[in-house]
Amino acid sequence: MLSRDIVIIGAGPAGLAASIEAGKAGADVLVADLNMKPGGQLFKQIHKFFGSSEHHSGTRGTDIGIRLLKEAENAGVEIWLRSAVIGIFPGNKVAIRKDLGDGKTELITLLAKKIIMATGASENVVRFKGWTSPGVMGAGAAQTMVNVNHVKPGKKIVMVGSGNVGLIVSYQLMQAGCEVVAVVEAAPGIGGYAVHAAKICRAGVPIYTKHTVVEAVTDEDGCVKEVVIAEVDGKFNPVAGTEKRLEADTVTIAAGLKPVVELPRLLNCDFSYHGLFGGWIPLHNKNMETSVAGIYVAGDSTGVEEANTALEEGRIAGIAAAESLGLIPADRADARKKEIWGRLESLRMGPFGEKRLKGKEAILKEYKERIGLPSVR
Amino acid sequence: MNMRMENHVVIDLKRDAAIVEISVDGQKVKACEGEPILAALLASGIKINRYTMKKHEPRGLFCGIGQCTDCAMIVNGQPNVRTCITPVQAGMVIQTQDGLTKGG
Amino acid sequence: MSLIQAGYLEYEELAEVQTLPDRERYAQGPVAVIECVQEIPCNPCEAACKSSAIRIGEPITNLPVLAADKCTGCGVCVAKCPGLAIFIVNKTYSDTTASVAFPFEYFPVPEEGDAVKAVNRKGNVVCDAVVRRVMNPKGFDHTPVVTVEIPKELADEVRGIQRGQKG
C-alpha cells in the first residue's frame, strides 16, 4: 500500500499552509483536493485582504494563493487535483478517488501516518418561492463565475444577505460588469464591515435592511425574470402590502456558511455545536488535533472564519503534525505555535473578532474538559 | 448572448486557453478548453442544466463547487456529471439531463 | 440613521469617531481623510505611509489615527487601504474649487480631463466634476486613484464618481 507521512485533505489556504509547514520540516506530504485547481476559495478573492501588514494584508487573495502554491512546490508538497477523499478507514487508511482524465478514475488507498482535514465550508441557503430556479445561486457560486471563470452569472442581480460575503461579492459583481439591483437583509442592520457597506453605498446600490425575498418570479423557461422583496416583521415574516418588484435575472444568496465535516464525522471525532462558527465542528486542542490521535483539523471546517485565520490554523496543524512525527524539535515547534497563536489572537480582536476569540477559547476549554488527551481509535 | 467578461480593472482577462467547439443538445457552442463546462454554457446564455425527475423543474448553477449536483448533465453519454467541476475538452457532447439518467 | 442601517457615516458623524484634519490643516493643502470607523484587524495603511503620519500600533484592531501635520497628501494610503476607506481632500485646489481623490476599481477607469458626475457617500450625484489626475502605478496593485475637481463647498460630500461613464 502507498504511504505518506501526512495526508492533507483540501488545498485551500488552511491545507496549503499546513502542507508548507510540514513539507519544510521534511515530511512526505500529499494534498488531495476535489477541485480542478488548488487554492480553495482563495483564487476568487480578488480583493485586498485585511490583517497585519507583516502577514499578507493589503495583498489580494489571488496573489496570496499564487505565493502559497509556490511555497508548497518549494517545500516538495505533492498535490492531487480532482481527487475526492471518499473515506477514511481504521488505521488511517485514506481512500481517494483520483481523476485520471477522460472521465476515468482510479480508487487508491493510502496509508497516512497523520491526517489533516481542511475541507472548508459550504454555503447556507434561504428558501423562498422559486429558490430552486435557474438564476438563483449561492453568492460564492456567482463569485466563482466572475472571478475565476470570467463569466457573468447574470445581468441584473439581487443579493440576499449583507454580511461580508454579500457585500464583497456585490462589489465584485459590479467590477465584473453586472448590475447589482439591491442588497436585501432580513436583520435590522447591515451584517458586514462598514467599509464594505460604504463601497456598495457609494456605487448607488440600495441596501434594504428588514427586508426579505418573497419570490423569484420565473419566465416561460423557468428562469428568474423578476424578484419580489418585502419588509419583515420582528419574527422575520414578510409584511403584506410592502412588496417591491425588482427586475432581475439573478438572485445570489449570502446567508452564511457551514463547516464541511463529513470526514471527521466518519472518524467519530468528538463534535460540539457553535452557532457562531456555523454549526457542528470537530473539537480540537492547541495543536489543532481532534479527539482522535493523529487526526488534525484546520480552517473553516473547524469553525467558519476568514482566509487569514484559516492560513494560521493550517500552519499550526502542519507544525504539530510534523512535530509528532519527530521532524521538528519540541522547543522549536512550541515557539512557532506560540507565535502563530499570538497572530490569531490579534486577528480575533475588536468588536467583530472578540466573539470569535472567546468562542475559540471555549472550544479549547471544552476539549480539555471533555477529552483531555487525544486517543487512538 | 455573450456573458464573458470583456474588461476588468483588477483581473487580467488575457485568455490563453484554446477556443474549442462542444456540442450542447445538438447545438455547436464555443468554449475555452479547460474551463468548467458549466461556465462555457453560461457564457453562451445557457442557464438550464437538467430537469428534476418528479416535477420536471429546471435546475442550473447553484453552488459552483461540486457539492449540490444541480448542474449535473450528460457528458459524452455519461449522466450525472457535475459540470461545475468538469473541464471542457474539444468535441465534448453535452446533453441536458432529464431526471436521474437518460437511458443510463 | 446609524452606521449599521445606512452603511456609511456622514462627515459630521465621522468626526465623532475619527480624527479628521482641522480647518487649519485643510487650509494648507491636500490631506488624508480616513473614513475607517470600526475596529477591524487591519493595518496596511500604517506601513504604507512614508511620512509615518498614520498610527495604528497594537492591537491591529485599533482605529488608524492621522497625524495631519505629518501627512503630505501623497495618496499612497488611498490605494493600500483594503477597505477603500481613505480619501485625499484638497480644499485649496483653487479659489472656488476643491479636489477629492478616491480609489476606483471599476471599468472604465476615467482619464484626465474627463467630465464626470461626482457622487456622495450614498451614491447620489451631487455635482459635475472634472478628472484631474489618475494614478495607477504598479505599486498600487490595480487600485487606481482618481482625483476630481469639484465645487469647494462639496469637498466633505464627494467621495466618488458615477460608474460606467466616460467623457
Side-chain angles (χ1 to χ4, degrees), chain C residues 3 12 23 28 56 72-73 85 103-104 111 135 140 144 146-147:
Chain C
L3 177 66
E12 298 73 33
R23 191 179 287 269
Q28 287 163 21
I56 288 178
T72 63
F104 192 82
E111 287 167 17
M135 291 189 284
F140 282 12
V146 173
T147 305

Side-chain angles (χ1 to χ4, degrees), chain A residues 48 51 53 60 171 190 194 201, chain C residues 4 38 41 43 105 140-141 143:
Chain A
K48 294 176 180 171
S53 54
R60 297 185 191 277
Y171 180 69
I190 293 166
C201 293
Chain C
I4 69 157
Q38 288 170 329
N43 68 1
E105 293 181 324
F140 282 12
D141 186 16
T143 303

Side-chain angles (χ1 to χ4, degrees), chain A residues 129-145:
Chain A
K129 196 177 172 196
W131 75 278
T132 56
S133 311
V136 180
M137 64 190 73
Q143 190 184 29
T144 301
M145 277 304 133

Side-chain angles (χ1 to χ4, degrees), chain A residues 14-304:
Chain A
L16 285 177
S19 78
I20 291 162
E21 293 296 340
K24 279 199 296 201
D28 177 14
V29 182
L30 171 71
V31 183
D33 192 292
L34 176 71
N35 296 284
M36 287 161 52
K37 291 174 189 166
Q41 309 311 311
L42 265 178
F43 283 96
K44 65 189 196 191
Q45 313 298 332
I46 62 162
H47 53 282
K48 294 176 180 171
F49 276 26
F50 295 139
S52 166
S53 54
E54 291 156 37
H55 290 95
H56 302 310
S57 80
T59 306
R60 297 185 191 277
T62 41
D63 295 325
I64 295 174
I66 291 167
R67 203 181 300 179
L68 286 176
L69 287 179
K70 187 86 207 147
E71 283 178 42
E73 194 190 328
N74 292 343
V77 172
E78 186 181 357
I79 302 177
W80 289 1
L81 294 172
R82 303 199 69 216
S83 297
V85 172
I86 58 168
I88 302 176
F89 301 99
N92 282 5
K93 294 191 189 97
V94 183
I96 304 177
R97 197 188 58 217
K98 192 183 182 193
D99 179 67
L100 301 174
D102 290 329
K104 292 184 196 70
T105 57
E106 183 188 2
L107 192 61
I108 297 169
T109 312
L110 220 135
L111 196 63
K113 288 184 191 152
K114 307 285 169 187
I115 297 171
I116 300 173
M117 298 182 286
T119 45
S122 65
E123 296 194 271
N124 295 331
V125 302
V126 176
R127 290 165 199 83
F128 45 83
K129 196 177 172 196
W131 75 278
T132 56
S133 311
V136 180
M137 64 190 73
Q143 190 184 29
T144 301
M145 277 304 133
V146 289
N147 293 348
V148 178
N149 299 320
H150 307 159
V151 171
K152 290 178 267 190
K155 288 177 177 164
K156 292 166 89 101
I157 294 166
V158 173
M159 177 66 71
V160 183
S162 70
N164 283 330
V165 172
L167 297 172
I168 290 172
V169 175
S170 293
Y171 180 69
Q172 293 175 352
L173 286 165
M174 288 189 277
Q175 287 183 295
C178 304
E179 183 188 341
V180 178
V181 179
V183 176
V184 180
E185 169 62 58
I190 293 166
Y193 292 161
V195 286
H196 292 317
K199 287 187 291 193
I200 300 305
C201 293
R202 283 204 294 278
V205 176
I207 303 178
Y208 294 104
T209 52
K210 282 197 223 166
H211 275 72
T212 191
V213 173
V214 180
E215 183 182 356
V217 184
T218 54
D219 60 18
E220 60 272 24
D221 295 330
C223 299
V224 177
K225 65 165 186 184
E226 191 181 54
V227 180
V228 183
I229 66 168
E231 268 179 59
V232 292
D233 60 21
K235 288 177 179 164
F236 298 109
N237 293 314
V239 179
T242 62
E243 293 86 359
K244 282 188 190 69
R245 305 183 84 87
L246 307 172
E247 193 197 324
D249 59 8
T250 305
V251 181
T252 49
I253 302 171
L257 299 149
K258 58 180 172 299
V260 170
V261 292
E262 288 89 346
L263 291 172
R265 282 279 187 209
L266 274 178
L267 286 164
N268 271 333
C269 293
D270 283 337
F271 272 70
S272 180
Y273 189 86
H274 289 263
L276 175 66
F277 292 111
W280 288 96
I281 53 165
L283 284 171
H284 61 81
N285 61 17
K286 280 203 124 176
N287 281 328
M288 303 308 296
E289 192 170 11
T290 66
S291 57
V292 182
I295 309 287
Y296 301 77
V297 285
D300 275 359
S301 62
T302 181
V304 174

